[in-house]
């Protein structure tokens, strides 16, 4: 795995493009002028990821009130994202990072251990990007409970 330059708090986040759940490609720079909540999650339809996504869904209107968009990113393909969105009525875009390039940019594609087995995967993390495209705040190794409320509070205080 090659280690590239990682996004740093206070720095402009390098632009990226990923296939989106609506069928189009989405560029991070498409959202300049808005705050962007970028949350990385391991897998569609799993309990923790479903809870986290539904929490972002439930706060969606509050994020919109504060000029913020929510984008979810996982290594799942668009077909999986479509089922996940439909089943849970998710009102925001999910991006497919099947080659984990953006996950690597944010340093969330890491070696994990489960039942003694080692594998690479997403470490649940969220990033808040300001209207100018700078990384304002990051949450790594996220615990789902109360996380969305914490992110919303950061969005509110960002101005």
């Amino acid at each position: 795995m090659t280690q590239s330059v990682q996004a740093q708090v206070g720095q402009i986040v390098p632009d990226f493009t990923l296939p989106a759940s609506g069928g189009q490609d989405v560029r991070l720079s498409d959202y300049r002028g808005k705050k962007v909540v970028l949350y990385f999650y391991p897998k569609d339809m799993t309990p923790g990821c479903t809870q986290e996504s539904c929490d972002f869904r439930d706060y969606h209107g509050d994020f919109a009130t504060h000029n913020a968009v929510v984008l979810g990113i996982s290594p799942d393909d668009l077909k999986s994202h479509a089922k996940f969105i439909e089943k849970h009525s998710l009102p925001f875009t999910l991006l497919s990072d099947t080659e984990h390039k953006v996950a690597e940019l944010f340093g969330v594609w890491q070696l994990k251990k489960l039942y003694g087995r080692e594998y690479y995967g997403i470490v649940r993390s969220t990033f808040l990007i300001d209207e100018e495209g700078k990384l304002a705040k990051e949450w790594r190794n996220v615990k789902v409970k109360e996380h969305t409320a914490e992110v919303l509070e950061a969005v509110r205080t960002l101005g």
Side-chain angles (χ1 to χ4, degrees):
M1 185 172 91
T2 59
Q3 195 63 1
S4 59
V5 176
Q6 279 188 17
Q8 301 281 326
V9 171
Q11 302 290 315
I12 295 283
V13 175
D15 201 13
F16 62 81
T17 303
L18 284 174
S21 51
Q24 75 285 17
D25 283 350
V26 166
R27 293 175 62 96
L28 179 61
S29 58
D30 293 343
Y31 296 100
R32 281 285 157 83
K34 290 188 175 286
K35 298 174 194 103
V36 177
V37 173
L38 207 57
Y39 77 99
F40 289 86
Y41 64 98
K43 188 155 183 53
D44 291 340
M45 304 291 191
T46 56
C49 298
T50 297
Q51 182 62 58
E52 182 179 27
S53 297
C54 289
D55 288 350
F56 277 114
R57 175 198 65 202
D58 295 346
Y59 281 99
H60 188 258
D62 296 308
F63 282 108
T65 299
H66 294 284
N67 193 36
V69 296
V70 173
L71 300 173
I73 299 181
S74 84
D76 295 300
D77 62 26
L78 294 179
K79 194 173 178 181
S80 176
H81 280 348
K83 287 180 190 164
F84 194 41
I85 288 168
E86 185 177 348
K87 181 168 184 176
H88 298 289
S89 303
L90 303 179
F92 46 81
T93 301
L94 297 180
L95 303 176
S96 180
D97 190 17
T98 55
E99 296 181 6
H100 43 81
K101 300 272 188 253
V102 177
E104 287 181 32
L105 170 69
F106 283 89
V108 300
W109 185 256
Q110 296 178 14
L111 190 61
K112 299 167 85 174
K113 272 189 182 176
L114 183 64
Y115 305 120
R117 189 175 73 88
E118 288 189 337
Y119 62 97
Y120 277 93
I122 296 281
V123 174
R124 188 183 315 279
S125 303
T126 302
F127 300 87
L128 175 57
I129 300 166
D130 72 12
E131 293 91 339
E132 283 85 49
K134 284 186 189 149
L135 184 56
K137 191 161 174 62
E138 60 184 19
W139 295 264
R140 294 181 179 272
N141 297 304
V142 166
K143 302 289 179 254
V144 172
K145 191 172 168 48
E146 318 247 333
H147 174 62
T148 307
E150 194 180 317
V151 174
L152 181 58
E153 186 54 34
V155 166
R156 282 188 183 123
T157 59
L158 196 55

